[in-house]
Amino acid sequence: MEPVKMVVRFADGRIKKGYSQDFFPNKSVFHLSGNPARESQEPEEIRVADLKAVFFVNSLAGNPDYKERKEFAEGDSPKGRKVEVTFADGETMQGSILGYSAKEAGFFLFPVDRKSNNMKVFAVNAAVREFRFLGSETVSAGAKNEYQCLIHEARGKLLMVSGEERMVLKLILSRVLETDSGREYIVEKLGDSYLKIAEELLEEMERD
């Protein structure tokens, strides 16, 4: 994995900049180094639980002369859904998301301004006080239903899936769930709860 530039903001206010080659949203730790070219430099272990957010950036120096647009304007059409996130320290950030689960460690937020130095932001759920879709009601960051933020309207779990994506997902799920080996594979890799999710998703698509 190629090293990526990132600015790490801790929940206690500390900020660290560097490079990482092992950040994954489902992992509890990753490593940050000041210069990936220096093999002798020992990378620092970072615990996601200690963080507010991880900013994936184009440049560690940034562009102090550029005034970044922080809010959506009329006519903006980002990929995904427009949201506003309020962190525990009071900072508010707008952006777009492709998916969200309150049960995961965090979620990726894409900035309003496409010219931003930030390519994407991994917001840590534990540091989020409020989460809401723009134009809709506020959703508590402690939502118990992992789909709650994707179905604040009276619709199913596939609210953010396009028609073409729905067709592909339906084909794959129907093939997997029609065999015992396919169902056992889901349980083995993800657990019983995910088998139920897969069954509910397929049932929803077959109703359409």
Side-chain angles (χ1 to χ4, degrees), residues 3-6 16-20 31-44 60:
V4 295
K5 303 181 188 76
M6 58 174 58
K16 293 188 177 183
K17 300 180 180 181
Y19 300 79
S20 181
H31 296 83
L32 190 73
S33 61
N35 189 336
R38 299 177 183 173
E39 296 183 0
S40 60
Q41 186 181 37
E42 189 71 21
E44 179 181 359
L60 292 178

Side-chain angles (χ1 to χ4, degrees), residues 57-184:
V57 298
N58 290 302
S59 167
L60 292 178
N63 184 359
D65 296 326
Y66 180 69
K67 188 175 181 179
E68 183 179 343
R69 183 160 59 91
K70 301 290 188 178
E71 297 181 353
F72 284 108
E74 187 175 352
D76 282 345
S77 54
K79 185 176 182 180
R81 300 199 62 187
K82 299 176 184 178
V83 299
E84 183 176 87
V85 176
T86 302
F87 290 94
D89 62 5
E91 181 183 6
T92 298
M93 186 180 298
Q94 289 188 6
S96 61
I97 63 166
L98 299 177
Y100 172 81
S101 169
K103 290 189 175 182
E104 301 295 339
F107 56 93
F108 283 107
L109 181 72
F110 296 89
V112 170
D113 192 339
R114 295 183 180 181
K115 296 180 180 179
S116 170
N117 186 50
N118 299 319
M119 295 182 289
K120 60 183 177 181
V121 179
F122 183 77
V124 178
N125 273 324
V128 173
R129 188 174 70 206
E130 290 182 350
F131 174 102
R132 74 181 181 94
F133 290 103
L134 292 178
S136 67
E137 72 277 11
T138 298
V139 179
S140 168
K144 294 182 179 179
N145 184 342
E146 64 263 46
Y147 292 105
Q148 186 168 346
C149 293
L150 295 181
I151 56 170
H152 67 282
E153 298 154 341
R155 297 176 62 180
K157 297 180 177 67
L158 296 176
L159 183 61
M160 295 175 64
V161 179
S162 69
E164 292 85 357
E165 293 166 337
R166 186 181 291 252
M167 289 175 62
V168 173
L169 186 57
K170 180 179 179 180
L171 176 63
I172 294 172
L173 283 178
S174 62
R175 285 297 182 92
V176 172
L177 294 176
E178 73 182 3
T179 65
D180 290 338
S181 60
R183 298 168 71 87
E184 290 171 358

